[in-house]
Amino acid sequence: MIRTAARAALGMVLLAAPAAAQPAPEPAAPAPKAAPAKLPTPNAERVLVIGVLDKVSSETRDLTLKPGETVNFGKIRIAARTCEASPPWQRPHTGAFLQIDGPGRDNKVRRLFSGWLFAESPSLNSFDNARYDVWVRSCAMRFPETGPRTVVVGKSAPPPSAAATPAPSEATAN
């Protein structure tokens, strides 16, 4: 047992000796500051277009709102809280979070709807009331011109970062 402990101690000394003999690494030059990442449009700068139908008068209008704005149409009040759109390089998905207030059965103003509406399936994702219909038409946003996996012809690709996750096809290949 003493021999085993002595061998282990000798092995550790021998392994540590070459590392101790090496000169200390020079301090690395400070890394250049990376340009700030371009983010999608801030919420306050997005523009939402919704369609509204008054079933009694047959009036239809497209209303343009920014998140945080409220508009009245007939007896309802529509508040746009936010909107989202997918980037142009992905399958189109557009949605908006709306809150709609109007007269209830007792003619008191009540919250009639609060939730997300989606433009791609207006028949499933619209506000349908006995008198009014509301649906999302569009949400205008800007997106960065390049994403993390953008390849520019004629330039070498940046080295993959350690934090990057492999693509689904790479993960299932093993």
Side-chain angles (χ1 to χ4, degrees):
M1 179 153 206
I2 294 175
R3 284 186 178 178
T4 307
R7 284 184 191 167
L10 179 62
M12 294 178 88
V13 169
L14 292 176
L15 289 175
Q22 294 179 2
E26 295 181 21
K33 290 185 178 181
K38 294 181 182 178
L39 300 174
T41 308
N43 201 36
E45 297 176 18
R46 299 175 187 188
V47 178
L48 168 67
V49 178
I50 58 174
V52 184
L53 166 68
D54 182 339
K55 296 176 186 176
V56 174
S57 68
S58 299
E59 180 183 2
T60 303
R61 269 207 263 161
D62 285 343
L63 305 173
T64 302
L65 300 154
K66 288 191 171 196
E69 291 184 346
T70 301
V71 65
N72 291 322
F73 179 80
K75 293 183 178 183
I76 60 172
R77 182 177 59 228
I78 304 166
R81 296 298 174 214
T82 189
C83 72
E84 291 285 331
S86 60
W89 57 85
Q90 292 181 355
R91 176 192 262 182
H93 290 290
T94 304
F97 190 87
L98 301 177
Q99 292 179 324
I100 302 172
D101 298 328
R105 295 180 194 262
D106 56 0
N107 284 329
K108 290 183 181 178
V109 175
R110 298 177 184 259
R111 174 75 27 100
L112 302 175
F113 178 81
S114 181
W116 285 92
L117 300 178
F118 298 97
E120 285 69 35
S121 54
S123 63
L124 297 176
N125 296 294
S126 65
F127 168 72
D128 297 320
N129 179 285
R131 180 162 182 176
Y132 300 100
D133 285 351
V134 178
W135 63 96
V136 175
R137 291 224 185 252
S138 67
C139 176
M141 293 177 59
R142 293 186 315 271
F143 292 94
E145 294 178 12
T146 59
R149 295 181 181 218
T150 302
V151 176
V152 179
V153 177
K155 293 187 178 185
S156 62
S161 67
T165 57
S169 62
E170 296 170 1
T172 56
N174 291 335

